[in-house]
Each structure stands twice: as structure tokens, then as C-alpha cells.
Amino acid sequence: MKELLLRTLTGVTLIVLVAGSIMLGPVTFSSVLVLTYLLGVKELFGLLRKRDLSRCWIRAIPGALLIIIVYAVFQYNLSLLWLLFPPALWLITALRGGITLSGTLAFLWLAIPLSSFLVLGWMDDESGFQFRLPLFIIALVWINDTFAYVTGSLLGRHKMTPVLSPGKTWEGFAGGTLITLLGGWIIWNSTGLYSSWVWFSISLLISILGLTGDLFESGLKRTVKVKNSGELLPGHGGILDRFDSLLFVTPAVMILVILIKLVQ
């Protein structure tokens, strides 16, 4: 009971922090994302310290710059060519210092997804930064995670990946997917943002890619033989444990929304 209460309090605090940063605007949102990125990199470097001896923080700079430049480009209507600078810096750093797993994952697995999450703020039908889309996406991701966990705990019988993630069940995946689809329908019905099939597609992406992201991090932790990526969030583990689903979801949602806008 104490563990459940601690997990709930941490979860509520995190929801208020992230949702609040999104609703307050792009400055607070991008600042929280940079902080999330740096904390995630710290955990990642810690996980890989035995397998990847090169943990120099210079490898984290391109990723932080990407989030900052994404904010500047979209907020101030700068040239999209600025977005080429962080990947070029990352590539130069990798080629000069040697390609490492920690540096590669820091940029591809953390920086690009978090930057994609930020870009969603400018993907609304309205001009300028709008908090609706990133807020709805993070809400659906956490709804999917929560109800997959609850359904799996109550009804789970058939294990999905007994070796990689023993707690994952097909019943939990189905429960999380159904409630996420319902959440997508409620968003469409109450806001009119995009069409119903778009939200159906987004909700399905969140369920499938959220699970993929979770399993990817589980595999990473199993490789280095740890239970959690960190201890920053009581009852949840680390930053990577809490945001693993989001990291696979946001690039796919961003691409989907871009394609929709091109077709319209």
C-alpha cells in the first residue's frame, strides 16, 4: 500500500510538472525537455558505464543544442537549415572521438524524440505555439501505460515477452489499447482537432510504439543487469523508465501529422 501511494504521488507530481510546462508555453516546455534530456543522458551513461567507457559529456551537447535550436527555429521562424547544425556536430564529434553506444543513443533515442515532442506544439491548425497536441499526446501515452499496467495486473494471464519483460501480458496490451482508443475518440469529439481516423491512427501508434519503447528500454536494462534506469522518481525508477514509451511515439506522431498536412 505504501509503495502504491508513493508511486501515485510521484506520478501526479510528474503529470503536473510536465503538463504545466506545456501549458505555460514554449519557453518552459523546452526548458523542461532540456532538463529531461540531461537527466536521461546521465542515467544512460550510468547504465552503459561498464560497456561503453567513453562517457564524456561533450557527447551530450549536440542533443541539448537540437532541442534549443528547434525552439528557436519554430518560435522565431528561422531557416530550417539551422536544424542541420546539431546532427552535423553530433556526427563530427562521433567521427573524431569514436562512435559510442552512449553517444549514439543520447542523440537518436533521447534528443530526436524529445525535439519531436517539442515540434508538436507548432503542428496545431492554429498559428504559433499551441499546447493542445503535445498535451494530448503525453496524456494518451500515460493513459496507455497506466491502463496496460492495471489491466495486466488484474487480468493478465498470457505473457507477451517472458524473458525480456515478464510483467507484460497480451491482456494488458489489449486493455491499454482499448482505453487509449477511447481517449483519442474523446479528444476528437471534444476538440474537433483533426479527424476521427487521425486520432484512431495516433492512438494505435501510441499503443504499439509505446510498448516497443518500453521493451527497448527493458532490453537495455537487461543487457546491463539492472532493474531500473535510476532512482530519481520514487515508485517509478528513473527518467528513462518513465519516458521510455514517449521516446518511440513522438517522432512517429510528428511524421504522421506532417504527412496529413501535406495531403490536405
Side-chain angles (χ1 to χ4, degrees):
M1 184 65 183
K2 183 179 179 181
E3 176 67 21
L4 178 60
L5 180 61
L6 186 62
R7 181 182 177 89
T8 302
L9 288 174
T10 303
V12 170
T13 302
L14 194 60
I15 289 171
V16 171
L17 175 63
V18 175
S21 73
I22 296 172
M23 296 179 72
L24 285 173
V27 174
T28 53
F29 186 25
S30 57
S31 299
V32 167
L33 289 181
V34 170
L35 178 61
T36 302
Y37 168 74
L38 293 175
L39 292 172
V41 166
K42 182 177 182 294
E43 290 181 358
L44 179 64
F45 285 2
L47 287 175
L48 299 175
R49 65 182 179 271
K50 293 181 180 179
R51 294 177 177 267
D52 190 346
L53 298 177
S54 178
R55 296 188 291 132
C56 181
W57 272 88
I58 194 172
R59 298 183 183 276
I61 293 175
L65 276 177
L66 179 62
I67 299 172
I68 294 168
I69 289 177
V70 162
Y71 160 76
V73 165
F74 286 92
Q75 180 68 9
Y76 300 108
N77 296 315
L78 303 180
S79 171
L80 292 178
L81 292 176
W82 279 102
L83 297 177
L84 297 177
F85 177 67
L89 180 61
W90 168 69
L91 186 59
I92 291 170
T93 303
L95 292 177
R96 293 190 63 180
I99 297 175
T100 62
L101 183 58
S102 59
T104 302
L105 288 178
F107 194 79
L108 299 182
W109 182 45
L110 297 180
I112 289 179
L114 292 175
S115 298
S116 301
F117 190 27
L118 179 59
V119 169
L120 293 178
W122 286 274
M123 291 288 175
D124 205 316
D125 291 335
E126 304 292 333
S127 62
F129 179 87
Q130 304 293 327
F131 67 80
R132 294 192 302 176
L133 189 55
L135 184 64
F136 294 155
I137 296 305
I138 190 68
L140 288 178
V141 167
W142 283 346
I143 285 171
N144 182 66
D145 285 350
T146 301
F147 283 93
Y149 174 78
V150 171
T151 308
S153 298
L154 295 176
L155 305 174
R157 296 291 183 274
H158 301 87
K159 293 186 180 299
M160 183 178 288
T161 55
V163 176
L164 187 59
S165 185
K168 293 286 184 295
T169 64
W170 287 106
E171 291 84 357
F173 173 70
T177 300
L178 288 174
I179 300 301
T180 304
L181 288 170
L182 176 61
W185 179 84
I186 291 172
I187 289 172
W188 165 73
N189 193 51
S190 58
T191 67
L193 179 65
Y194 303 127
S195 63
S196 57
W197 76 265
V198 170
W199 281 107
F200 175 83
S201 302
I202 288 175
S203 300
L204 206 56
L205 274 177
I206 286 172
S207 295
I208 295 171
L209 294 180
L211 172 64
T212 306
D214 196 320
L215 292 177
F216 176 83
E217 200 229 355
S218 295
L220 186 63
K221 290 188 295 185
R222 184 167 289 273
T223 300
V224 296
K225 297 180 173 58
V226 297
K227 181 180 180 181
N228 295 318
S229 65
E231 301 177 349
L232 181 65
L233 306 174
H236 292 265
I239 286 289
L240 299 180
D241 296 315
R242 184 65 272 187
F243 287 90
D244 53 1
S245 299
L246 184 74
L247 296 175
F248 270 57
V249 165
T250 51
V253 172
M254 182 188 71
I255 292 170
L256 176 63
V257 173
I258 290 173
L259 291 175
I260 291 168
K261 287 184 173 294
L262 290 175
V263 170
Q264 288 179 343

